[in-house]
């Protein structure tokens, strides 16, 4: 379940009534009310705000949990397995019929809070077809064990970012490219460290090194330079000559036997982070 424009549509009166059940100090309540009512700048003009919480504000996630706490409590009371982060919630049941009952329950609960379910992003479906916080599920052979894996959209987002960092135009040095990868990849890997489908990380490592080899060929540019640099790295005469003949086909050429000339240890020495640490991967 996803809530439609949740942070923009939080009702201040409903939220304050929930806070008043837990906070007895009127001064604290007054500060929160002023925080909620603070205006927003739009095209250089200050506009009043009568609903919603500031997206990105330090208090907004906490206030979201306070507002949706009764949703959590009702799901717990009914014995449902669920996970929620802010307005994104997945509930796991045994049948489609049960899922439809829970979805109707959620609609009633959030309507009571003057919120709306985003029907385009919410659905009753198999767990493996849904994602939450970048994760989804896969089943082992026979479907007896359910495991976590990185969702397809999160993988595509990673690839888009890596493509941007490793683009073969712009005149950036390999040192700069590697520095940008070091800034991005370790954080991504740490976030998805719970994934139990490790093979995808090894495939991503190969793909990233493929792109880096293509950058090398692009930077060497001329056939003579390509031939000289490959031979200097102990490439065979035949391989160096074949690659040097078509110097502008960087991506295709980098898929040849350049893993021997520019192996994993070479990129390790450059400081390229691995998403899946291994001892010997081409």
């Amino acid at each position: 379940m996803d809530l439609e424009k949740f942070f923009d549509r939080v009702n201040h009166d409903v939220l304050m009534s929930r806070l008043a059940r837990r906070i007895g100090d009127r001064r604290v309540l007054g500060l929160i009310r002023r925080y909620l009512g603070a205006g927003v700048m739009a095209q250089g003009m200050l506009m009043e705000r009568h609903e919603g919480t500031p997206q990105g504000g330090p208090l907004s996630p906490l206030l979201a949990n306070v507002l949706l706490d009764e949703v959590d409590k009702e799901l717990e009371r009914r014995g449902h397995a669920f996970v929620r982060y802010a307005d994104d919630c997945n509930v796991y049941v045994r049948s489609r019929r049960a899922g439809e009952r829970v979805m109707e329950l959620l609609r009633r609960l959030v309507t009571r809070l003057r919120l709306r379910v985003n029907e385009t992003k919410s659905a009753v479906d198999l767990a493996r077809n849904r994602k939450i916080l970048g994760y989804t599920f896969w089943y082992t052979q026979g479907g007896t064990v359910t495991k976590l894996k990185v969702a397809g959209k999160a993988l595509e987002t990673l690839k888009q970012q890596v493509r941007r960092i490793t683009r073969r135009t712009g005149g950036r040095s390999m040192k700069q490219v590697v520095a940008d990868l070091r800034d991005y990849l370790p954080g991504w890997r740490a976030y998805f460290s719970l994934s139990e489908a490790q093979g995808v990380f090894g495939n991503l490592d190969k793909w990233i090194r493929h792109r880096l080899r293509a950058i090398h060929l692009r930077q060497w540019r001329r056939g003579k330079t390509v031939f000289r640099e490959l031979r200097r790295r102990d490439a065979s005469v035949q391989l160096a000559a074949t690659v040097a003949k078509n110097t502008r086909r960087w991506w295709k050429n980098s898929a040849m036997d350049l893993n021997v000339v520019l192996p994993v240890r070479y990129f390790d020495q450059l400081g390229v982070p691995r998403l899946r640490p291994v001892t010997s991967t081409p």
Side-chain angles (χ1 to χ4, degrees):
M1 177 194 73
D2 182 82
L3 296 179
E4 188 175 297
K5 298 181 179 179
F6 173 70
F7 286 102
D8 292 332
R9 289 184 172 171
V10 169
N11 184 279
H12 292 178
D13 292 334
V14 173
L15 175 58
M16 291 305 302
S17 70
R18 268 56 179 182
L19 287 169
R21 297 174 185 175
R22 296 169 170 78
I23 301 174
D25 193 326
R26 292 182 176 273
R27 293 171 299 175
V28 174
L29 293 173
L31 285 172
I32 296 174
R33 171 65 84 168
R34 286 197 291 274
Y35 168 79
L36 293 172
V40 294
M41 294 296 294
Q43 297 179 349
M45 298 182 63
L46 182 65
M47 301 180 63
E48 293 184 356
R49 181 173 55 207
H50 301 289
E51 63 178 6
T53 62
Q55 290 199 39
L59 273 182
S60 294
L62 175 60
L63 296 176
N65 285 336
V66 171
L67 184 62
L68 296 174
D69 182 61
E70 62 189 71
V71 175
D72 296 345
K73 291 293 192 292
E74 183 61 23
L75 291 174
E76 289 174 358
R77 188 182 71 80
R78 293 171 179 254
H80 292 308
F82 70 96
V83 58
R84 182 181 66 78
Y85 182 82
D87 61 325
D88 198 358
C89 178
N90 281 13
V91 184
Y92 304 100
V93 293
R94 294 183 180 276
S95 68
R96 182 173 188 85
R97 189 173 179 179
E100 290 169 350
R101 287 199 301 268
V102 171
M103 180 64 80
E104 188 56 38
L105 168 68
L106 291 171
R107 289 192 184 98
R108 293 198 305 270
L109 290 173
V110 300
T111 298
R112 193 183 303 164
L113 299 173
R114 300 189 191 180
L115 298 169
R116 287 203 299 265
V117 172
N118 187 331
E119 299 294 346
T120 60
K121 293 184 178 180
S122 304
V124 177
D125 204 348
L126 295 173
R128 64 172 177 264
N129 295 335
R130 308 301 296 176
K131 64 180 181 64
I132 186 166
L133 301 177
Y135 282 95
T136 187
F137 298 96
W138 63 287
Y139 301 103
T140 58
Q141 190 172 7
T144 56
V145 180
T146 306
K147 295 188 176 183
L148 276 176
K149 72 172 184 177
V150 184
K153 186 175 180 181
L155 290 174
E156 184 55 36
T157 300
L158 166 75
K159 287 188 172 184
Q160 289 176 0
Q161 183 69 357
V162 171
R163 287 188 188 103
R164 184 190 65 79
I165 293 172
T166 59
R167 64 189 184 276
R168 293 185 291 277
T169 58
R172 299 165 70 245
S173 68
M174 182 62 72
K175 183 178 179 180
Q176 292 172 311
V177 172
V178 171
D180 288 345
L181 290 174
R182 281 203 303 267
D183 287 340
Y184 178 67
L185 292 179
W188 189 92
R189 179 64 182 92
Y191 180 84
F192 288 106
S193 61
L194 295 177
S195 173
E196 297 168 280
Q198 292 291 309
V200 67
F201 296 119
N203 291 334
L204 287 170
D205 283 334
K206 293 178 183 179
W207 176 73
I208 291 170
R209 288 191 290 268
H210 188 169
R211 294 191 64 83
L212 294 176
R213 291 178 184 118
I215 290 176
H216 266 306
L217 295 179
R218 170 68 174 82
Q219 292 177 342
W220 291 335
R221 298 180 69 89
R222 300 194 321 174
K224 290 183 178 180
T225 306
V226 171
F227 183 85
R228 183 185 70 242
E229 292 296 330
L230 291 179
R231 287 291 291 149
R232 190 165 67 87
R233 289 169 171 79
D234 297 326
S236 67
V237 174
Q238 182 179 359
L239 175 61
T242 301
V243 175
K245 282 180 184 177
N246 300 294
T247 54
R248 299 190 66 82
R249 303 179 71 178
W250 305 300
W251 181 254
K252 182 177 180 179
N253 285 338
S254 66
M256 300 178 71
D257 293 332
L258 294 191
N259 59 301
V260 177
V261 180
L262 300 171
V264 174
R265 65 177 178 275
Y266 169 75
F267 293 107
D268 286 345
Q269 291 167 357
L270 288 180
V272 179
R274 294 198 203 183
L275 295 175
R276 183 184 184 183
V278 289
T279 54
S280 58
T281 300

